[in-house]
Amino acid sequence: MGNKQTIFTPQQLDAYQDCTFFTRKEILRLFYRYHNLAPQLVPLDYTSKPDVKLPYELIGSMPELKDNPFRQRIAQVFSEDGEGNMTLDDFLDMFSALSEMAPRDLKAYYAFKIYDFNDDDYICKSDLEKTLNKLTRNELTEDEVRMVCEKVIDESDLDNDGRLSLEDFQHMIVRAPDFLSTFHIRI
Amino acid sequence: MLFVTPLLLVTAVGVAAADLYGTEASVRPETAVSAAPPATLSASPAASPYPPEEYAEAGIALARSADAHDPVETTDSGDASHHGGGYKIVQWEWSYVQTPYIIAIWILVASVAKILFHFSQRVTTVVPESCLLILLGLVLGGVVLIASKKQLYQLEPGLFFLFLLPTIVGDAGYFMPSRLFFDNLGTILVYAVVGTLWNAFCTGFSLYGMKLAGIIDEKVEGGMMEFLLFGALISAVDPVAVLAVFEEVHVNETLFIIVFGESLLNDAVTVVLYKVFISFVEVGPGNVQTADYFKGVASFLIVNVGGTLVGLIFAVLLAFVTRFTKRVRIIEPLFIFLLVYLAYLTAELFSLSAILSMTFCGIGCNKYVEANISQKSRTTVKYTMKTLASIAETIIFIFLGISAVDKSKWAWDTGLVSCTLIFIFVFRALGVIGQTWVLNWFRLVPLDKLDQVVMSYGGLRGAVAFALVVLLDGHKVKAKDYFVATTIVVIFFTVMFQGLTIKPLVKWLKVPRSTNSKPTINEEIHERAFDHILAAVEDIAGLNGYHHWRDKWEQFDKNYLSKLLMRKSVYHKGELWEVYQKINIRDAISVIDQGGNVLSSARLSLPSMASRTSFSEVTNVTNYLRENGSGVCLDLQVIDTVSGGKVEEETETHHLLTGNLYKPRRRYHAHYSRHFMTVGDKERQDREVFQRNMRSRLESFKSTRHKAKGRHKKERSQKKRKGSDAKEQEVNGKPRRNVSWQDTDPVTAPVDSPEERSEEEADKDEDVGITFVARKHETLKEPLKERPKSDMLEVYQSLAVIPPSPTCAEKHLPWKGGGGTLPVCVSMETTKIIPIDLQQAWNQSISSLESLASPPVQAEPQHPRVRALSRAEAARGGNSGGSDSGGSGPAQDPRFHFPNDEENGQSLQQQESQPLMSSMKPPAPPQVSSTQGMGRRPPTFNRNPCVYLRSLVSASPPGSEPRSRGPTQL
């Protein structure tokens, strides 16, 4: 593929390096991946900062992802517009948050966001029910889901308000030592 | 020639196994009986020790084999050998029972030794048990040696490989934390394969170099092949030793699984290397052709892959078999033992890696088998496996110690011993560091320096190496005796010295220890969610990484494997639910343990709760725990009615009594069947009672707590009640026992004051067809009058029913003094909502107490008359009657009321209803027993007309209630 200068200006690359936990090489690799997802949409010249978005339909229709219950939610959380349409920045952000270098709190924050389906900054019962239904593919009865949800909130709800705040979530997740340490992927 | 050796090994193993019994039997050397009765060979040694008497009384088949031995016995055994003595009453049959007797004695000695070790807390915390056992073995060996001038016992390779090792490996494989194992599988494989190869070759070549350099004595005859052979067998980390030592050290799970997994999986490498080198030694190094090396590599692959495949095939088989054991629960555990053991033997049969086979069989089948078998079988499997493994381990270490005390074995060469010790340690460390450096490029969580230190130091050698070295043919491997001695020293050094020091080392280095935290449902959920999220992100990134494949595997498992291998009733539930139940049960058990014997009847029913029958009925125990606040006592009533120390104390005593006196009334016929453990009667009843208790507590608690929420709350609970009513019906498949209650409902209805009436009417109108029972209106009347009206209204607003709650009843217990405490408890009790079923349950539970407290008037069977009377009353009261009228209940449980005669106004009614209440008690027990008989019928079979009617009348069909959609019963 082409010369890196034709894709990004050095300033852009530096900026990306500052904003993410990636090296130049990794950024370029991710860019090519991004480009490959939609070659007809994404130009190979990014120096002029084109306003390109990868529509969610494209990600959601990937064959590898078709069974993944969280595909839409991930795209929503990491996309800026909340609709699942991802710009390159979003794309890089996503992998950056899941890279090894990312601090625990950032990961916990994003994990929390993924669970927080209704974006009210709390994981409440309806969020948990959604999560559970996604995880079990609707195989539990309402009743069972409800009980498990109660239990979950029960376990980690420190301030007893019947829902999980970010603090509750972090506290719970930090308690298990190698929990977040496995929450990353290598690019 | 390479393919001859496997056969050789197998035959050698077989011969050795037969030999063993010969050796053990020859305690008295003159005894020529090679008493190896077929029965003892077929079973594992830990299982074989029949008590001698039983053995003597065994069936015809054994008797026949005894006949065969008889001539020998009579000539040999001293006491019984007098000829022509006629019939002897007592005979000395030592030679007959000898073999199993000795085995049993050995196991007994080993077990008693364990007890003794653990008497001293201090010793066992410092010294690992394995060290102590070896020391004990040394002492015992010394005793035997002194007594008989010749070492009679040693660790026989046949016994070891066929019986002792499988029990340990089977246990390890079956209970292997599979996720942890597969997460680290790459690392484990590298260490097991590359590491072992590295160790074997480096040690072998270096020793040969030392030999050439003259450091090792000339007497140790051997060429390069011999030393490579020795290197191969001494380099493998031993699972038994690792398990024994690491279990006491409690390093973190990752570290443990890597070391232990390595020790299990390196078996294949060791076996292949061992065989290859033996064949090379046999043909002589000069005759080895290039093709043989390739054959060696091929055999390595075959042994590995073949072993794994055999294991997986048996795993599938086992899982499939357990799918159909529903009707023969009693032999479920047996299938597991047999098939896992067969996996081992089959692999051994084809000279594949038996340990590998067994490990993968255990790992593979665990998930499905655990889901298929019953809770009791699970417990059985767990304990039996642990017992066997523990005994096997003990015996191995004792025999290792004994084997060392044998003059014939000792051919000491300082050079060889010290070189071996140094080399294995150095190469282990080098190997670990090198491999870790490479692996850390790929691992998600890199292994740090401390981990590497522990891993190098944890390279313990053990009984596998010893058994292999004893198996060597002394004629072909000239230096066998030296090798044996060196192996013993190496084992002793690693197990005793390193085993002793590894604990302080781990402490000193502050290696992260395993946190023995309880699993939470949160972790389970987040783990799964994270898996999916990571898999999704990996897929977006276009990487086919670990998460990607795991996701694919899980889908495959879900779509095909689980459907094939799990019972239909099980597989759709998912593991999440499984975990939830486990946690719930654990909480329940801890709650009840803490709560003392308040719930002693409930404790009985706990184990059965796990078998997914009716678990949702009991629902979330931790919720009780939490809401309860105290976290100690589950008994809400005790806490709710805090009205003074004395009363509380009495209440508690009363509850205690209730709990304890409850059982005697429920006595069941002991039912014996060889093939079925009757899940039925007793358990179901206990469970039912437990459910009722729990439900009553939940309901009453909720309503007390959220009194302010008033009607809406109440309606909900009523609905719930409705649902569970129908449910109950289905569950127990029997007529309800409290029919008479509904009939008596109207008795007390008319006494309500107008306001109350209207309130109640309104309630009733809303909740058509719900059977709730209000009680004790009359008693409350007096106190209520003194209260402000608004208060009363508030109280009654939330009152559809007044419960026959225990505390309520207690207030009126005869020995409780007058009605002085009544006003205090009004608000508490009135807000409690308890279904009638519970009244029934409560009645039953209280009845025993009652019979103690007030035996006289109670048991008059006036049933029909009173019912008629009450009907008349109902009509007079203008109550709407019909099934609706179930909504307003009988006021008071009058049995507790009879001493309080001061309420004149109602005394008549009470007197009338009093015998009625008690009269419904006598019919109860027969009904109970009849339900047991009918328990297995389909739920629709015997619907109670009454409830059926009610469900017709009710606003919404019970089926639509979430409550009733719980797990299918029975």
Side-chain angles (χ1 to χ4, degrees):
Chain A
M1 279 288 203
N3 199 336
K4 40 182 123 165
Q5 269 69 28
T6 61
I7 302 170
F8 297 116
T9 61
Q11 288 80 19
Q12 273 180 316
L13 266 181
D14 284 342
Y16 277 133
Q17 265 179 301
D18 290 344
C19 295
T20 64
F21 298 98
F22 293 127
T23 61
R24 232 164 240 264
K25 242 168 86 183
E26 285 165 330
I27 290 170
L28 282 174
R29 188 136 44 106
L30 284 173
F31 171 76
Y32 287 128
R33 175 63 196 170
Y34 184 67
H35 173 76
N36 283 341
L37 283 176
Q40 71 281 14
L41 282 179
V42 182
L44 269 177
D45 179 14
Y46 245 70
T47 46
S48 55
K49 296 191 180 180
D51 182 29
V52 176
K53 277 184 182 177
L54 220 55
Y56 168 69
E57 291 74 42
L58 218 138
I59 295 175
S61 61
M62 283 168 68
E64 299 95 325
L65 282 175
K66 84 176 183 321
D67 292 318
N68 200 306
F70 284 95
R71 57 183 188 278
Q72 186 172 11
R73 188 60 202 160
I74 290 170
Q76 282 173 358
V77 164
F78 285 100
S79 64
E80 220 164 301
D81 59 0
E83 299 287 318
N85 306 321
M86 300 188 93
T87 63
L88 178 64
D89 293 10
D90 297 334
F91 197 71
L92 285 177
D93 266 349
M94 175 167 78
F95 289 108
S96 174
L98 289 176
S99 77
E100 279 169 88
M101 308 293 294
R104 271 178 112 124
D105 285 348
L106 188 72
K107 287 184 183 184
Y109 173 73
Y110 275 110
F112 181 81
K113 287 281 277 183
I114 289 175
Y115 288 127
D116 182 18
F117 284 92
N118 53 11
D119 292 320
D120 62 350
D121 292 328
Y122 287 99
I123 300 180
C124 51
K125 264 200 179 147
S126 63
D127 293 331
L128 275 174
E129 277 167 16
K130 264 190 193 159
T131 312
L132 267 179
N133 281 330
K134 278 178 187 294
L135 280 177
T136 56
R137 294 164 207 217
N138 296 322
E139 274 162 0
L140 296 183
T141 63
E142 280 172 46
D143 216 33
E144 289 162 345
V145 167
R146 185 178 48 76
M147 281 191 293
V148 175
C149 288
E150 274 171 18
K151 180 93 183 170
V152 169
I153 291 186
D154 210 55
E155 268 177 4
S156 40
D157 184 17
L158 293 181
D159 45 10
N160 261 336
D161 58 355
R163 53 189 188 174
L164 304 184
S165 61
L166 182 58
E167 286 75 34
D168 291 334
F169 186 76
Q170 276 174 338
H171 177 267
M172 182 265 303
I173 220 163
V174 165
R175 211 176 40 182
D178 48 26
F179 214 53
L180 279 180
S181 60
T182 53
F183 192 53
H184 62 239
I185 60 171
R186 278 169 193 271
I187 297 304
Chain B
M1 66 204 116
L2 191 71
F3 296 104
V4 179
T5 46
L7 267 180
L8 266 180
L9 188 78
V10 170
T11 41
V13 163
V15 168
D19 266 352
L20 159 83
Y21 292 98
T23 343
E24 295 214 326
S26 58
V27 174
R28 301 195 309 167
E30 69 270 17
T31 319
V33 197
S34 67
T40 50
L41 266 178
S42 65
S44 82
S48 59
Y50 309 104
E53 312 83 25
E54 193 184 315
Y55 197 75
E57 291 166 7
I60 304 165
L62 279 178
R64 216 183 297 135
S65 77
D67 283 342
H69 289 303
D70 254 347
V72 192
E73 277 167 25
T74 40
T75 49
D76 280 358
S77 49
D79 296 334
S81 62
H82 300 292
H83 297 284
Y87 180 75
K88 291 186 197 64
I89 298 170
V90 180
Q91 290 189 6
W92 179 253
E93 296 276 14
W94 169 248
S95 56
Y96 180 48
V97 298
Q98 193 181 38
T99 310
Y101 205 90
I102 289 175
I103 293 175
I105 293 288
W106 270 115
I107 293 173
L108 185 68
V109 167
S111 313
V112 170
K114 270 200 160 183
I115 299 179
L116 291 180
F117 294 152
H118 285 276
F119 265 133
S120 165
Q121 202 76 47
R122 218 180 319 140
V123 174
T124 41
T125 46
V126 178
V127 188
E129 213 179 74
S130 46
C131 296
L132 290 173
L133 288 171
I134 286 186
L135 286 177
L136 177 75
L138 285 175
V139 173
L140 285 178
V143 171
V144 173
L145 191 66
I146 291 167
S148 65
K149 303 280 187 278
K150 183 172 172 284
Q151 189 54 269
L152 299 171
Y153 305 100
Q154 70 155 339
L155 192 63
E156 292 292 335
L159 172 77
F160 175 73
F161 280 121
L162 287 182
F163 299 120
L164 296 177
L165 190 58
T167 53
I168 294 172
V169 175
D171 173 60
Y174 191 74
F175 293 108
M176 178 82 76
S178 55
R179 190 188 158 105
L180 204 60
F181 181 78
F182 284 111
D183 278 357
N184 294 297
L185 187 61
T187 315
I188 292 172
L189 277 179
V190 169
Y191 282 119
V193 177
V194 181
T196 310
L197 284 176
W198 156 269
N199 279 348
F201 281 102
C202 286
T203 314
F205 281 125
S206 308
L207 284 177
Y208 185 58
M210 288 296 126
K211 171 88 170 28
L212 290 184
I215 295 175
I216 294 173
D217 199 273
E218 284 299 313
K219 286 179 291 181
V220 186
E221 295 174 49
M224 192 174 73
M225 283 303 160
E226 274 86 351
F227 279 105
L228 281 177
L229 174 63
F230 181 63
L233 64 86
I234 202 74
S235 63
V237 178
D238 181 70
V240 183
V242 166
L243 207 57
V245 169
F246 272 69
E247 258 181 0
E248 297 185 22
V249 178
H250 301 300
V251 292
N252 57 60
E253 287 97 351
T254 319
L255 200 50
F256 174 74
I257 205 79
I258 288 176
V259 177
F260 182 55
E262 178 201 342
S263 72
L264 279 177
L265 299 196
N266 67 16
D267 171 68
V269 182
T270 316
V271 167
V272 173
L273 280 182
Y274 181 77
K275 284 180 195 164
V276 168
F277 286 132
I278 277 194
S279 69
F280 285 0
V281 166
E282 277 169 3
V283 300
N287 302 333
V288 178
Q289 293 159 354
T290 334
D292 292 332
Y293 293 109
F294 288 107
K295 278 186 193 166
V297 174
S299 125
F300 169 71
L301 288 178
I302 289 172
V303 165
N304 255 323
V305 177
T308 312
L309 274 185
V310 168
L312 291 180
I313 288 170
F314 271 93
V316 171
L317 199 66
L318 172 55
F320 196 65
V321 165
T322 51
R323 219 186 127 169
F324 304 104
T325 50
K326 192 177 179 188
R327 309 206 172 269
V328 282
R329 290 278 191 211
I330 201 86
I331 56 168
E332 258 172 0
L334 193 66
F335 279 117
I336 295 165
F337 297 126
L338 280 184
L339 281 170
V340 172
Y341 188 47
L342 274 180
Y344 184 91
L345 290 183
T346 311
E348 197 76 81
L349 179 70
F350 295 109
S351 74
L352 302 170
S353 166
I355 295 186
L356 219 55
S357 162
M358 203 172 194
T359 308
F360 276 102
C361 181
I363 294 180
C365 73
N366 182 290
K367 179 185 162 192
Y368 310 105
V369 168
E370 290 280 291
N372 279 339
I373 63 178
S374 71
Q375 174 74 19
K376 279 176 186 163
S377 303
R378 264 177 252 175
T379 315
T380 313
V381 169
K382 186 175 170 187
Y383 277 94
T384 318
M385 279 207 176
K386 296 283 175 208
T387 311
L388 289 181
S390 166
I391 282 298
E393 190 188 283
T394 312
I395 290 177
I396 286 173
F397 282 117
I398 284 192
F399 271 79
L400 268 182
I402 291 178
S403 310
V405 192
D406 186 357
K407 275 180 289 187
S408 64
K409 281 207 198 87
W410 283 92
W412 181 271
D413 181 70
T414 319
L416 181 64
V417 169
S418 47
C419 284
T420 312
L421 278 179
I422 293 169
F423 285 144
I424 59 165
F425 193 79
V426 168
F427 286 126
R428 168 89 187 163
L430 286 180
V432 166
I433 291 170
Q435 291 168 76
T436 313
W437 184 74
V438 176
L439 282 170
N440 273 349
W441 287 94
F442 302 103
R443 277 183 65 83
L444 280 181
V445 188
L447 296 162
D448 58 12
K449 288 269 180 300
L450 293 182
D451 293 337
Q452 294 176 35
V453 170
V454 175
M455 277 163 61
S456 340
Y457 205 74
L460 305 173
R461 271 62 165 183
V464 173
F466 179 78
L468 286 178
V469 84
V470 168
L471 269 182
L472 288 179
D473 185 348
H475 299 294
K476 290 179 180 137
V477 185
K478 299 287 193 306
K480 180 188 171 186
D481 289 344
Y482 289 99
F483 288 158
V484 172
T486 312
T487 308
I488 291 177
V489 172
V490 167
I491 292 171
F492 279 27
F493 179 80
T494 53
V495 171
M496 300 192 64
F497 180 73
Q498 294 187 0
L500 257 176
T501 46
I502 196 167
K503 219 172 187 177
L505 184 80
V506 163
K507 240 180 235 166
W508 180 63
L509 290 174
K510 299 195 176 61
V511 177
R513 309 290 272 273
S514 71
T515 48
N516 206 2
S517 63
K518 292 175 181 173
T520 61
I521 193 84
N522 269 301
E523 284 174 25
E524 193 64 29
I525 287 177
H526 297 317
E527 201 176 278
R528 276 154 206 286
F530 282 10
D531 283 353
H532 284 300
I533 292 169
L534 290 173
V537 175
E538 258 188 11
D539 285 338
I540 292 175
L543 300 162
N544 286 344
Y546 176 64
H547 299 290
H548 172 81
W549 290 113
R550 185 166 61 198
D551 204 50
K552 288 280 165 292
W553 163 255
E554 268 167 17
Q555 273 170 34
F556 172 75
D557 176 62
K558 203 168 188 68
N559 291 337
Y560 304 103
L561 269 185
S562 293
K563 276 182 191 164
L564 178 70
L565 299 180
M566 282 192 196
R567 284 188 191 148
K568 280 210 176 57
S569 58
V570 182
Y571 85 86
H572 75 275
K573 280 296 177 191
E575 288 162 59
L576 209 57
W577 181 244
E578 193 79 10
V579 171
Y580 170 74
Q581 284 194 330
K582 271 187 194 154
I583 291 173
N584 224 356
I585 289 169
R586 192 196 65 213
D587 288 342
I589 289 172
S590 70
V591 165
I592 285 159
D593 281 348
Q594 288 166 354
N597 41 12
V598 174
L599 272 182
S600 52
S601 66
R603 185 184 309 193
L604 294 173
S605 69
L606 266 174
S608 63
M609 281 157 48
S611 58
R612 38 190 87 242
T613 49
S614 77
F615 196 81
S616 67
E617 284 285 286
V618 186
T619 69
N620 197 334
V621 185
T622 27
N623 272 351
Y624 292 97
L625 189 66
R626 190 172 64 98
E627 285 172 14
N628 195 352
S630 77
V632 177
C633 182
L634 190 59
D635 201 344
L636 291 168
Q637 267 76 25
V638 170
I639 294 159
D640 277 352
T641 56
V642 187
S643 46
K646 185 90 187 295
V647 176
E648 196 180 340
E649 203 173 285
E650 272 182 89
T651 317
E652 262 168 14
T653 321
H654 171 63
H655 272 270
L656 214 68
L657 273 175
T658 320
N660 289 335
L661 290 175
Y662 191 74
K663 278 173 288 177
R665 278 190 61 83
R666 326 200 129 249
R667 211 166 264 154
Y668 306 96
H669 294 294
H671 186 68
Y672 178 77
S673 160
R674 186 192 300 272
H675 304 293
F676 301 102
M677 291 201 272
T678 43
V679 205
D681 314 347
K682 186 168 166 61
E683 255 176 43
R684 196 174 307 128
Q685 286 224 329
D686 286 332
R687 187 164 63 224
E688 185 186 320
V689 169
F690 178 63
Q691 284 166 13
R692 289 173 177 200
N693 276 342
M694 294 297 268
R695 209 182 305 140
S696 80
R697 287 178 179 141
L698 176 68
E699 301 281 345
S700 61
F701 184 73
K702 270 191 181 160
S703 48
T704 0
R705 235 199 179 190
H706 309 288
K707 189 171 62 181
K709 290 182 186 167
R711 173 158 307 178
H712 135 82
K713 188 77 189 173
K714 170 199 64 195
E715 280 168 18
R716 236 186 66 193
S717 55
Q718 282 174 341
K719 269 189 193 162
K720 254 185 210 164
R721 177 64 213 134
K722 198 164 53 184
S724 52
D725 254 359
K727 172 104 186 174
E728 185 96 318
Q729 182 68 10
E730 286 175 5
V731 172
N732 299 325
K734 64 178 184 207
R736 299 172 58 111
R737 281 178 265 151
N738 49 355
V739 180
S740 55
W741 273 90
Q742 288 149 23
D743 290 338
T744 60
D745 287 346
V747 177
T748 48
V751 292
D752 294 334
S753 62
E755 309 95 54
E756 292 162 14
R757 266 257 52 86
S758 59
E759 284 286 343
E760 294 230 8
E761 290 287 350
D763 276 346
K764 258 187 292 167
D765 290 344
E766 283 176 16
D767 309 301
V768 210
I770 303 173
T771 48
F772 275 89
V773 178
R775 61 196 291 285
K776 99 173 204 345
H777 295 170
E778 327 90 305
T779 38
L780 290 179
K781 243 193 156 172
E782 307 248 326
L784 275 174
K785 272 174 191 162
E786 290 144 31
R787 299 169 71 99
K789 189 101 176 178
S790 61
D791 190 2
M792 193 167 77
L793 272 176
E794 188 230 338
V795 166
Y796 272 84
Q797 203 166 24
S798 64
L799 158 81
V801 203
I802 307 177
S805 73
T807 26
C808 169
E810 276 152 27
K811 297 300 173 197
H812 312 288
L813 282 176
W815 58 84
K816 280 251 167 174
T821 54
L822 277 180
V824 186
C825 65
V826 164
S827 63
M828 306 298 264
E829 287 160 359
T830 46
T831 49
K832 281 178 188 148
I833 301 172
I834 290 194
I836 3 177
D837 262 16
L838 292 163
Q839 279 188 330
Q840 181 68 32
W842 171 248
N843 273 343
Q844 287 177 356
S845 70
I846 204 70
S847 53
S848 56
L849 237 192
E850 205 179 20
S851 61
L852 279 185
S854 49
V857 215
Q858 299 291 316
E860 294 172 54
Q862 298 180 338
H863 209 172
R865 184 176 65 81
V866 179
R867 190 186 287 180
L869 236 175
S870 64
R871 277 190 201 284
E873 288 248 346
R876 190 174 43 133
N879 204 338
S880 51
S883 56
D884 284 16
S885 68
S888 70
Q892 173 88 30
D893 189 349
R895 279 173 296 155
F896 306 114
H897 221 288
F898 56 90
N900 305 353
D901 278 337
E902 59 265 352
E903 291 123 327
N904 311 323
Q906 277 70 39
S907 64
L908 172 68
Q909 284 188 353
Q910 276 170 22
Q911 277 165 12
E912 276 173 0
S913 56
Q914 179 177 322
L916 165 74
M917 301 320 241
S918 52
S919 71
M920 50 156 296
K921 211 177 1 130
Q927 275 176 355
V928 166
S929 59
S930 75
T931 57
Q932 292 161 17
M934 304 195 300
R936 283 173 199 260
R937 294 195 197 165
T940 50
F941 186 76
N942 39 19
R943 277 194 153 223
N944 184 350
C946 191
V947 176
Y948 187 56
L949 240 183
R950 222 182 319 121
S951 68
L952 280 182
V953 179
S954 64
S956 61
S960 70
E961 273 309 307
R963 273 255 148 186
S964 63
R965 294 182 51 198
T968 43
Q969 305 277 328
L970 292 176

